[in-house]
Amino acid sequence: MLPTKLTSFARALVLVSVCVGAAASAQTLGTTLPADFPVLQNYYLGVPVIGFGAPGRVDRVPVIFLHGNNDTPFPTACNPFGYIHNAAQYFLTNGYKPSELWGLGYQGDQCDLLTEVTRKSGVSHSTAAAVPLIRAFVHAVLEYTGAERVDIVAHSLGVTAAREWLLQDQAYHLVRSLVAVDGPNHGIVDCSPAPANYFQLAANGGFVPNSAICEEYGSDHTQLLTVLNAGGETPGSTHYLVIRNVARATPESGDFVYLSAQDGYFPPVPAQDRDGNAHDFSNSALLAGAPSIDLVGQGQYDLILRTSHLGILNSPQMWQSALQFVDHRHDHW
């Protein structure tokens, strides 16, 4: 797949300086859902979903934030990351209301990983488990806010899980914009059967070729990705923007999900797919037909592991680009 060239609008986003507007809000985004919001059950984990949102008037198209695999919509007792909450806070600081910003924790608080680390690659953390929860959450937000559409800002697994829901339900009319941040649209590098792939170890998540995640993303031609991409990668009336990491000859510019290169504290793994075939996943985050913004040095924003894959989610450059893309029309729902 060839990289999509930036449109003039996307180029302009790259040049925009990262700043906070004069009318910046002093509010802090919450870490709970409203008391009268529907309680959605995660049957794979046996617990209700977690998330954030607020009651109140809605003037803009509501934005739903979807984290990636093994993450949460805000930091929890068992997961110190939750960087996507900072992205939502940026939207709040720059004009959105709390009632217009929603986050879904479709994998719980990650405390299940303390007793069973291999769930990182298992069914309960798969796209198959995420899609019904995304479906229910989007419809609950629409009903609760009275909006007709939402925007989605998604990271990593959240990107393809959102795309899979859109495909299954042909729900493109419900999503005005999808910001796809470093999504595994064409597979991941972590599923190689080679001994040097340390992600296979149970202590590192058990990303063996036949694990649930590797069956979904271990090559660019898994059943999931073959069907998901076959009918066009940017279908329907939804507007798409890709924001991704790109490789550079610096230690902080790897991406442990796609690139066979050092990424923060993670050393490289073999550039192979789940079948053991040599494969370059470096363009996996691209979507044919969508403009893309390429960022480098994003590891500086991951304050824990120094990885670019997580750092891009905590990056002011990413926040600014996502905000500009979903809000540049300034129209109502």
Side-chain angles (χ1 to χ4, degrees), residues 316-333:
Q317 295 168 283
M318 188 283 284
W319 302 341
Q320 177 92 21
S321 298
L323 175 67
Q324 291 271 329
F325 186 72
V326 302
D327 198 44
H328 80 279
R329 300 173 187 85
H330 298 292
D331 61 352
H332 298 283
W333 46 262

PDB file of all heavy atoms in Angstrom, residues 316-333:
ATOM      1  N   PRO A 316       0.952  16.894  22.100  1.00  0.00           N
ATOM      2  CA  PRO A 316       0.234  18.114  21.720  1.00  0.00           C
ATOM      3  C   PRO A 316       0.080  18.268  20.212  1.00  0.00           C
ATOM      4  O   PRO A 316      -0.905  18.849  19.750  1.00  0.00           O
ATOM      5  CB  PRO A 316       1.108  19.228  22.308  1.00  0.00           C
ATOM      6  CG  PRO A 316       1.802  18.588  23.474  1.00  0.00           C
ATOM      7  CD  PRO A 316       2.069  17.185  23.027  1.00  0.00           C
ATOM      8  N   GLN A 317       1.028  17.752  19.439  1.00  0.00           N
ATOM      9  CA  GLN A 317       0.898  17.801  17.976  1.00  0.00           C
ATOM     10  C   GLN A 317      -0.307  16.987  17.514  1.00  0.00           C
ATOM     11  O   GLN A 317      -1.066  17.412  16.642  1.00  0.00           O
ATOM     12  CB  GLN A 317       2.170  17.266  17.326  1.00  0.00           C
ATOM     13  CG  GLN A 317       3.407  18.084  17.579  1.00  0.00           C
ATOM     14  CD  GLN A 317       4.656  17.330  17.153  1.00  0.00           C
ATOM     15  OE1 GLN A 317       5.124  16.419  17.834  1.00  0.00           O
ATOM     16  NE2 GLN A 317       5.201  17.691  16.013  1.00  0.00           N
ATOM     17  N   MET A 318      -0.463  15.805  18.091  1.00  0.00           N
ATOM     18  CA  MET A 318      -1.606  14.975  17.739  1.00  0.00           C
ATOM     19  C   MET A 318      -2.907  15.629  18.194  1.00  0.00           C
ATOM     20  O   MET A 318      -3.882  15.693  17.445  1.00  0.00           O
ATOM     21  CB  MET A 318      -1.458  13.577  18.360  1.00  0.00           C
ATOM     22  CG  MET A 318      -2.519  12.572  17.868  1.00  0.00           C
ATOM     23  SD  MET A 318      -4.168  12.760  18.605  1.00  0.00           S
ATOM     24  CE  MET A 318      -3.879  12.053  20.240  1.00  0.00           C
ATOM     25  N   TRP A 319      -2.934  16.121  19.424  1.00  0.00           N
ATOM     26  CA  TRP A 319      -4.151  16.753  19.940  1.00  0.00           C
ATOM     27  C   TRP A 319      -4.610  17.888  19.032  1.00  0.00           C
ATOM     28  O   TRP A 319      -5.792  17.995  18.691  1.00  0.00           O
ATOM     29  CB  TRP A 319      -3.915  17.317  21.333  1.00  0.00           C
ATOM     30  CG  TRP A 319      -3.462  16.352  22.367  1.00  0.00           C
ATOM     31  CD1 TRP A 319      -3.561  14.983  22.346  1.00  0.00           C
ATOM     32  CD2 TRP A 319      -2.820  16.689  23.600  1.00  0.00           C
ATOM     33  NE1 TRP A 319      -3.024  14.457  23.483  1.00  0.00           N
ATOM     34  CE2 TRP A 319      -2.564  15.461  24.278  1.00  0.00           C
ATOM     35  CE3 TRP A 319      -2.449  17.881  24.196  1.00  0.00           C
ATOM     36  CZ2 TRP A 319      -1.942  15.427  25.537  1.00  0.00           C
ATOM     37  CZ3 TRP A 319      -1.830  17.852  25.439  1.00  0.00           C
ATOM     38  CH2 TRP A 319      -1.579  16.641  26.094  1.00  0.00           C
ATOM     39  N   GLN A 320      -3.665  18.756  18.673  1.00  0.00           N
ATOM     40  CA  GLN A 320      -3.993  19.913  17.840  1.00  0.00           C
ATOM     41  C   GLN A 320      -4.546  19.474  16.488  1.00  0.00           C
ATOM     42  O   GLN A 320      -5.547  20.000  16.006  1.00  0.00           O
ATOM     43  CB  GLN A 320      -2.741  20.769  17.630  1.00  0.00           C
ATOM     44  CG  GLN A 320      -2.931  21.972  16.719  1.00  0.00           C
ATOM     45  CD  GLN A 320      -3.299  23.236  17.469  1.00  0.00           C
ATOM     46  OE1 GLN A 320      -3.050  23.334  18.667  1.00  0.00           O
ATOM     47  NE2 GLN A 320      -3.878  24.194  16.793  1.00  0.00           N
ATOM     48  N   SER A 321      -3.905  18.494  15.869  1.00  0.00           N
ATOM     49  CA  SER A 321      -4.332  18.023  14.554  1.00  0.00           C
ATOM     50  C   SER A 321      -5.717  17.400  14.625  1.00  0.00           C
ATOM     51  O   SER A 321      -6.565  17.641  13.759  1.00  0.00           O
ATOM     52  CB  SER A 321      -3.327  17.004  14.008  1.00  0.00           C
ATOM     53  OG  SER A 321      -2.058  17.592  13.849  1.00  0.00           O
ATOM     54  N   ALA A 322      -5.961  16.598  15.664  1.00  0.00           N
ATOM     55  CA  ALA A 322      -7.267  15.956  15.814  1.00  0.00           C
ATOM     56  C   ALA A 322      -8.360  16.996  16.049  1.00  0.00           C
ATOM     57  O   ALA A 322      -9.444  16.930  15.442  1.00  0.00           O
ATOM     58  CB  ALA A 322      -7.224  14.963  16.970  1.00  0.00           C
ATOM     59  N   LEU A 323      -8.081  17.961  16.902  1.00  0.00           N
ATOM     60  CA  LEU A 323      -9.063  19.005  17.189  1.00  0.00           C
ATOM     61  C   LEU A 323      -9.397  19.803  15.940  1.00  0.00           C
ATOM     62  O   LEU A 323     -10.571  20.052  15.635  1.00  0.00           O
ATOM     63  CB  LEU A 323      -8.528  19.940  18.278  1.00  0.00           C
ATOM     64  CG  LEU A 323      -9.398  21.165  18.604  1.00  0.00           C
ATOM     65  CD1 LEU A 323     -10.701  20.736  19.238  1.00  0.00           C
ATOM     66  CD2 LEU A 323      -8.646  22.126  19.524  1.00  0.00           C
ATOM     67  N   GLN A 324      -8.382  20.195  15.197  1.00  0.00           N
ATOM     68  CA  GLN A 324      -8.608  20.969  13.983  1.00  0.00           C
ATOM     69  C   GLN A 324      -9.451  20.180  12.981  1.00  0.00           C
ATOM     70  O   GLN A 324     -10.334  20.736  12.327  1.00  0.00           O
ATOM     71  CB  GLN A 324      -7.261  21.337  13.350  1.00  0.00           C
ATOM     72  CG  GLN A 324      -6.434  22.330  14.134  1.00  0.00           C
ATOM     73  CD  GLN A 324      -6.739  23.767  13.763  1.00  0.00           C
ATOM     74  OE1 GLN A 324      -7.080  24.054  12.634  1.00  0.00           O
ATOM     75  NE2 GLN A 324      -6.611  24.665  14.713  1.00  0.00           N
ATOM     76  N   PHE A 325      -9.194  18.895  12.898  1.00  0.00           N
ATOM     77  CA  PHE A 325      -9.896  18.087  11.905  1.00  0.00           C
ATOM     78  C   PHE A 325     -11.370  17.910  12.242  1.00  0.00           C
ATOM     79  O   PHE A 325     -12.236  18.060  11.381  1.00  0.00           O
ATOM     80  CB  PHE A 325      -9.231  16.721  11.778  1.00  0.00           C
ATOM     81  CG  PHE A 325      -9.801  15.865  10.680  1.00  0.00           C
ATOM     82  CD1 PHE A 325      -9.542  16.167   9.343  1.00  0.00           C
ATOM     83  CD2 PHE A 325     -10.587  14.763  10.968  1.00  0.00           C
ATOM     84  CE1 PHE A 325     -10.068  15.380   8.325  1.00  0.00           C
ATOM     85  CE2 PHE A 325     -11.112  13.969   9.962  1.00  0.00           C
ATOM     86  CZ  PHE A 325     -10.850  14.282   8.631  1.00  0.00           C
ATOM     87  N   VAL A 326     -11.684  17.597  13.497  1.00  0.00           N
ATOM     88  CA  VAL A 326     -13.078  17.315  13.824  1.00  0.00           C
ATOM     89  C   VAL A 326     -13.894  18.580  14.024  1.00  0.00           C
ATOM     90  O   VAL A 326     -15.119  18.566  13.848  1.00  0.00           O
ATOM     91  CB  VAL A 326     -13.207  16.422  15.078  1.00  0.00           C
ATOM     92  CG1 VAL A 326     -12.469  15.112  14.886  1.00  0.00           C
ATOM     93  CG2 VAL A 326     -12.728  17.128  16.334  1.00  0.00           C
ATOM     94  N   ASP A 327     -13.242  19.698  14.357  1.00  0.00           N
ATOM     95  CA  ASP A 327     -14.000  20.896  14.706  1.00  0.00           C
ATOM     96  C   ASP A 327     -13.897  22.007  13.678  1.00  0.00           C
ATOM     97  O   ASP A 327     -14.469  23.069  13.865  1.00  0.00           O
ATOM     98  CB  ASP A 327     -13.530  21.422  16.077  1.00  0.00           C
ATOM     99  CG  ASP A 327     -14.544  22.380  16.702  1.00  0.00           C
ATOM    100  OD1 ASP A 327     -15.749  22.068  16.652  1.00  0.00           O
ATOM    101  OD2 ASP A 327     -14.127  23.426  17.227  1.00  0.00           O
ATOM    102  N   HIS A 328     -13.188  21.767  12.559  1.00  0.00           N
ATOM    103  CA  HIS A 328     -12.959  22.889  11.644  1.00  0.00           C
ATOM    104  C   HIS A 328     -14.234  23.347  10.943  1.00  0.00           C
ATOM    105  O   HIS A 328     -14.315  24.473  10.467  1.00  0.00           O
ATOM    106  CB  HIS A 328     -11.886  22.529  10.611  1.00  0.00           C
ATOM    107  CG  HIS A 328     -12.381  21.686   9.463  1.00  0.00           C
ATOM    108  ND1 HIS A 328     -12.530  20.324   9.579  1.00  0.00           N
ATOM    109  CD2 HIS A 328     -12.747  22.014   8.190  1.00  0.00           C
ATOM    110  CE1 HIS A 328     -12.973  19.857   8.410  1.00  0.00           C
ATOM    111  NE2 HIS A 328     -13.109  20.854   7.572  1.00  0.00           N
ATOM    112  N   ARG A 329     -15.259  22.478  10.902  1.00  0.00           N
ATOM    113  CA  ARG A 329     -16.504  22.881  10.239  1.00  0.00           C
ATOM    114  C   ARG A 329     -17.359  23.784  11.128  1.00  0.00           C
ATOM    115  O   ARG A 329     -18.173  24.554  10.633  1.00  0.00           O
ATOM    116  CB  ARG A 329     -17.297  21.633   9.845  1.00  0.00           C
ATOM    117  CG  ARG A 329     -16.539  20.719   8.886  1.00  0.00           C
ATOM    118  CD  ARG A 329     -17.290  19.404   8.652  1.00  0.00           C
ATOM    119  NE  ARG A 329     -16.492  18.496   7.872  1.00  0.00           N
ATOM    120  CZ  ARG A 329     -15.571  17.687   8.371  1.00  0.00           C
ATOM    121  NH1 ARG A 329     -15.341  17.690   9.672  1.00  0.00           N
ATOM    122  NH2 ARG A 329     -14.878  16.890   7.609  1.00  0.00           N
ATOM    123  N   HIS A 330     -17.196  23.631  12.452  1.00  0.00           N
ATOM    124  CA  HIS A 330     -17.944  24.438  13.413  1.00  0.00           C
ATOM    125  C   HIS A 330     -19.457  24.336  13.170  1.00  0.00           C
ATOM    126  O   HIS A 330     -20.196  25.287  13.396  1.00  0.00           O
ATOM    127  CB  HIS A 330     -17.520  25.905  13.372  1.00  0.00           C
ATOM    128  CG  HIS A 330     -16.093  26.103  13.742  1.00  0.00           C
ATOM    129  ND1 HIS A 330     -15.593  25.888  14.996  1.00  0.00           N
ATOM    130  CD2 HIS A 330     -15.029  26.472  12.969  1.00  0.00           C
ATOM    131  CE1 HIS A 330     -14.299  26.135  15.011  1.00  0.00           C
ATOM    132  NE2 HIS A 330     -13.923  26.477  13.807  1.00  0.00           N
ATOM    133  N   ASP A 331     -19.914  23.183  12.713  1.00  0.00           N
ATOM    134  CA  ASP A 331     -21.352  23.031  12.508  1.00  0.00           C
ATOM    135  C   ASP A 331     -21.967  22.273  13.667  1.00  0.00           C
ATOM    136  O   ASP A 331     -21.289  21.741  14.517  1.00  0.00           O
ATOM    137  CB  ASP A 331     -21.662  22.335  11.167  1.00  0.00           C
ATOM    138  CG  ASP A 331     -21.092  20.927  11.082  1.00  0.00           C
ATOM    139  OD1 ASP A 331     -20.323  20.559  12.000  1.00  0.00           O
ATOM    140  OD2 ASP A 331     -21.399  20.245  10.123  1.00  0.00           O
ATOM    141  N   HIS A 332     -23.277  22.281  13.715  1.00  0.00           N
ATOM    142  CA  HIS A 332     -23.993  21.587  14.767  1.00  0.00           C
ATOM    143  C   HIS A 332     -24.326  20.177  14.299  1.00  0.00           C
ATOM    144  O   HIS A 332     -24.195  19.826  13.140  1.00  0.00           O
ATOM    145  CB  HIS A 332     -25.267  22.350  15.118  1.00  0.00           C
ATOM    146  CG  HIS A 332     -25.005  23.740  15.644  1.00  0.00           C
ATOM    147  ND1 HIS A 332     -24.568  23.971  16.923  1.00  0.00           N
ATOM    148  CD2 HIS A 332     -25.100  24.942  15.043  1.00  0.00           C
ATOM    149  CE1 HIS A 332     -24.424  25.293  17.102  1.00  0.00           C
ATOM    150  NE2 HIS A 332     -24.739  25.891  15.987  1.00  0.00           N
ATOM    151  N   TRP A 333     -24.760  19.358  15.237  1.00  0.00           N
ATOM    152  CA  TRP A 333     -25.138  18.000  14.886  1.00  0.00           C
ATOM    153  C   TRP A 333     -26.462  17.981  14.145  1.00  0.00           C
ATOM    154  O   TRP A 333     -26.804  17.025  13.510  1.00  0.00           O
ATOM    155  CB  TRP A 333     -25.220  17.101  16.130  1.00  0.00           C
ATOM    156  CG  TRP A 333     -25.946  17.696  17.295  1.00  0.00           C
ATOM    157  CD1 TRP A 333     -25.403  18.318  18.370  1.00  0.00           C
ATOM    158  CD2 TRP A 333     -27.362  17.723  17.528  1.00  0.00           C
ATOM    159  NE1 TRP A 333     -26.373  18.722  19.251  1.00  0.00           N
ATOM    160  CE2 TRP A 333     -27.588  18.371  18.747  1.00  0.00           C
ATOM    161  CE3 TRP A 333     -28.448  17.271  16.804  1.00  0.00           C
ATOM    162  CZ2 TRP A 333     -28.866  18.568  19.280  1.00  0.00           C
ATOM    163  CZ3 TRP A 333     -29.715  17.467  17.324  1.00  0.00           C
ATOM    164  CH2 TRP A 333     -29.914  18.118  18.545  1.00  0.00           C
TER     165      TRP A 333
END
